[in-house]
Amino acid sequence: MRGVVFDGEHARVVGDLEIRDPGPGEVLVAIAAAGLCHSDLSVLDGTIPFPVPVVLGHEGAGVVEAVGPGVGHIVPGDHVALSTLANCGACADCDRGRPTMCRKAIGRPGRPFRRGGEQLFQFAANSAFAERTIVRAVQAVRIPRDIPLSSAALLGCAVLTGVGAVLNRARTGRGESVVVIGAGGVGLNVLQGARIAGARTIVAVDSSPAKEELARRFGATEFLTSAADVRAALPTGADHVFECVGSTALIRQAVELLDRGGQAILLGMVPPTAEASFPPAAMFLDKSILGCRYGSSRPQHDIALYADLYRRGELLLDELITGVYPVEDFAKAAEDARQGRLARGVLTF
């Protein structure tokens, strides 16, 4: 079968992948579509260290082909969106409703794939850039069949991360003010999360003026090309500032743009050794800096919620897709993403 494999130096599309049968508590899914996220590119450039060789991709949707023993909530033929959260469901954090904090859900990549007798790692417990993948049952969320799988794929990362950061982590309230730095795939979902939450002023900041139309469509009430201009729109600062780029300089600006009691929420991926600085005195007026993993999501709950919001016209998915590529064109899709030409690119099988 086809898939995108990274060997530590090059990512290429291969046609001779093999995958084992699903074991207890596992699901075999035929991938129909997978979103191309900057986290995939971050593996290629080393920002996210990951063992190789690895099958890439982590934002996918498809059709269940087989289930292992003990799986009861889905059956072959179901349409599913996949999360990257292979949480155990039994630890103290899972029990408290915080599956993103499960210590068994990260740092332990499996090897369900083989190629030429060699085992390959699975990226983000998902590997959606393959014709078939195996995930834990908790990662497969059944979705209505009338949702296009190319759109449903985006539920598993960009939407969970962006909308979840607003609703679950920041808990943005009606009438509050929001600044979103970076109007890419995650930033656009932060914007629509703020719109869904009922924020009054939603300022999108991106250096590319070409992104204004889409940012406003997703919920921005203001669009600026520099964070330095935010104070003109919000003289006292913002209740919530989301940094979606992964720049230490912009992290500092996010803190500086807060109003009293405001929150800076960090979503952009920075290299593991990067350090950000800010004046500690700036925090004394009850300001906060919040990390946020995967939108602080509960995927089985949140993906179903977002699918329902999409069907009601309240959450945009189709509009996120600005490029569709057969998997064989992965290199072109990756270059378009690097050059900022895509809100979200989707690979199809």
Side-chain angles (χ1 to χ4, degrees), residues 215 266 342:
L266 310 186
L342 304 173

Side-chain angles (χ1 to χ4, degrees), residues 181-197:
I181 302 175
V186 170
L188 289 172
N189 280 290
V190 174
L191 290 171
Q192 71 171 333
R195 170 178 52 78
I196 291 168

Side-chain angles (χ1 to χ4, degrees), residues 90-301:
C91 68
D93 285 304
C94 287
D95 190 54
R96 293 168 62 189
R98 303 194 312 171
T100 57
M101 296 296 103
C102 176
R103 286 171 171 80
K104 295 184 179 180
I106 192 170
R108 302 180 183 183
R111 293 185 176 186
F113 302 97
R114 298 187 70 88
R115 182 178 181 234
E118 181 181 24
Q119 288 185 305
L120 285 75
F121 287 99
Q122 184 173 39
F123 180 53
N126 192 305
S127 289
F129 293 169
E131 285 188 77
R132 291 173 181 81
T133 193
I134 283 177
V135 297
R136 290 176 61 99
V138 72
Q139 296 175 252
V141 184
R142 186 170 58 241
I143 57 173
R145 290 174 178 267
D146 59 358
I147 298 179
L149 289 171
S150 57
S151 297
L154 307 184
L155 290 168
C157 182
V159 176
L160 275 181
T161 299
V163 178
V166 177
L167 302 184
N168 301 328
R169 186 64 169 130
R171 298 186 181 275
T172 301
R174 184 169 297 278
E176 293 185 331
S177 56
V178 170
V179 174
V180 181
I181 302 175
V186 170
L188 289 172
N189 280 290
V190 174
L191 290 171
Q192 71 171 333
R195 170 178 52 78
I196 291 168
R200 182 184 74 256
T201 304
I202 306 173
V203 182
V205 180
D206 198 287
S207 59
S208 173
K211 294 184 179 180
E212 178 173 2
E213 181 180 356
L214 198 56
R216 289 187 180 275
R217 187 170 189 180
F218 273 74
T221 60
E222 307 283 343
F223 183 90
L224 304 170
T225 55
S226 172
D229 299 327
V230 169
R231 287 286 182 176
L234 295 169
T236 64
D239 295 312
H240 310 277
V241 181
F242 296 82
E243 200 283 339
C244 305
V245 177
S247 160
T248 56
L250 292 176
I251 289 172
R252 183 185 179 100
Q253 281 191 293
V255 174
E256 293 172 347
L257 291 174
L258 294 176
D259 197 356
R260 300 180 180 191
Q263 301 174 332
I265 300 91
L266 310 186
L267 298 178
M269 179 61 66
V270 298
T273 58
E275 296 183 359
S277 64
F278 61 92
M283 308 303 293
F284 291 156
L285 293 173
D286 286 354
K287 299 178 183 180
S288 305
I289 299 175
L290 304 181
C292 182
R293 180 174 182 233
Y294 205 38
S296 300
S297 297
R298 295 172 294 158
Q300 285 288 336
H301 172 274

